[in-house]
């Protein structure tokens, strides 16, 4: 099983600032890495797939990078609606795994 | 427009079997490359993938839960059913179904259904 580790667990950021979230895989997942956003009481929403491709309708302030075992999600200028929990997920093999999540909270 | 919706009991007793149904629209589970999966999330915790079924009836299960899970599809009804045996309070979670295509992540999710396991 590929273990996905996200850091930090909680990120305190002021509106308008940049947020950088990390995700590490226990073995290479190539670029088969997705990021999801989840708000309280809602289902996860796909933000990024293929490590760096934004899903349909996702604003350009969200960007993803990395390959292999190290990945980053960057939110360039946090808006009020971006405060949420973010999960990474690898889909490189049939045993799909998620990270533990990073909560982005208002500083 | 792709939509999915989960249905099933909100409360089950320990040792009982849980049966959840995912009813979807906007795609066909007979289309090559299409799959529907189940993911759960205990209150305040992370997401956990449970099972997947593909258009060709290929089925995949989380190894840690494989002995308790069965996933089936009814293409004519646009439904996917997940059964989980021997339910325990630690299985209390919101259960989601979601759409994916081969080599891509889950792109459409249902709203989720909270299942509580308690006597």
């Amino acid at each position: 099983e590929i273990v996905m580790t996200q850091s930090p667990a909680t990120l305190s950021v002021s509106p308008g600032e940049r947020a950088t979230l990390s995700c590490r895989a226990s073995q290479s997942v190539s670029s088969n890495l997705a990021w999801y956003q989840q708000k309280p009481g809602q289902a996860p929403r796909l933000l990024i797939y293929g490590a760096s491709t934004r899903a349909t309708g996702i604003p350009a302030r969200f960007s993803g990078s990395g390959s292999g075992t190290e990945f980053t999600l960057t939110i360039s200028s946090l808006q009020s609606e971006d405060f949420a929990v973010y999960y990474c997920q690898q889909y490189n093999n049939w045993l799909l795994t998620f990270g533990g999540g990073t909560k982005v909270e208002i500083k | 427009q792709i939509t999915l919706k989960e249905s099933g009991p909100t409360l089950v007793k320990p040792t009982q079997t849980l049966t959840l149904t995912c009813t979807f629209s906007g795609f066909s589970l007979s289309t090559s490359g299409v799959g529907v999966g189940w993911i759960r999330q205990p209150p305040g915790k992370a997401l956990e993938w449970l099972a997947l079924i593909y258009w060709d009836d290929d089925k995949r299960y989380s190894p840690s839960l494989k002995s308790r899970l069965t996933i089936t599809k009814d293409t004519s009804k646009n439904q996917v059913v997940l059964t989980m045996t021997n339910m325990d309070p630690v299985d209390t979670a919101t259960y989601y179904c979601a759409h994916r295509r081969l080599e891509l992540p889950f792109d459409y999710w249902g709203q989720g259904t909270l299942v509580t396991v308690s006597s």
Side-chain angles (χ1 to χ4, degrees):
Chain A
E1 173 180 329
I2 299 175
V3 177
M4 307 301 293
T5 303
Q6 291 187 241
S7 62
T10 303
L11 186 61
S12 298
V13 186
S14 298
E17 289 188 340
R18 173 187 294 255
T20 302
L21 290 65
S22 295
C23 175
R24 174 176 293 177
S26 61
Q27 64 189 74
S28 177
V29 298
S30 186
S31 294
N32 296 311
L33 190 284
W35 290 94
Y36 299 88
Q37 176 194 68
Q38 188 179 34
K39 297 179 180 179
Q42 296 184 16
R45 177 175 71 145
L46 178 64
L47 296 176
I48 301 283
Y49 64 94
S52 61
T53 302
R54 281 189 300 277
T56 302
I58 302 303
R61 64 180 181 271
F62 291 92
S63 63
S65 63
S67 66
T69 62
E70 300 284 343
F71 301 89
T72 300
L73 174 69
T74 301
I75 311 171
S76 60
S77 177
L78 271 159
Q79 307 297 302
S80 58
E81 62 266 30
D82 301 335
F83 292 96
V85 180
Y86 293 83
Y87 294 95
C88 62
Q89 181 222 339
Q90 68 79 20
Y91 52 98
N92 192 57
N93 68 21
W94 66 267
L95 207 177
L96 309 176
T97 49
F98 291 89
T102 292
K103 181 180 181 180
V104 178
E105 64 176 24
I106 300 174
K107 187 174 182 181
Chain B
Q1 179 191 2
I2 290 177
T3 64
L4 305 96
K5 187 173 184 179
E6 307 85 355
S7 59
T10 58
L11 178 66
V12 297
K13 291 181 168 50
T15 76
Q16 286 187 337
T17 294
L18 171 68
T19 299
L20 293 173
T21 300
C22 176
T23 303
F24 56 85
S25 63
F27 68 95
S28 172
L29 204 37
S30 60
T31 300
S32 179
V34 173
V36 172
W38 286 93
I39 305 98
R40 72 177 179 181
Q41 185 174 39
K45 296 189 177 180
L47 301 163
E48 178 186 20
W49 170 69
L50 302 176
L52 255 169
I53 189 165
Y54 289 101
W55 83 101
D56 59 358
D57 211 36
D58 184 22
K59 302 169 186 177
R60 305 285 174 158
Y61 297 100
S62 169
S64 62
L65 292 166
K66 183 175 182 178
S67 63
R68 300 173 53 204
L69 296 174
T70 302
I71 190 169
T72 60
K73 64 180 175 71
D74 186 330
T75 305
S76 64
K77 292 183 179 179
N78 281 352
Q79 291 182 334
V80 171
V81 175
L82 180 76
T83 60
M84 180 180 292
T85 61
N86 195 25
M87 293 293 285
D88 183 271
V90 300
D91 296 314
T92 294
T94 296
Y95 287 75
Y96 297 98
C97 63
H99 165 278
R100 77 173 296 208
R101 288 170 289 163
L102 272 179
E103 302 182 358
L104 289 172
F106 295 112
D107 51 1
Y108 296 92
W109 293 62
Q111 64 190 25
T113 185
L114 175 61
V115 178
T116 301
V117 184
S118 175
S119 56

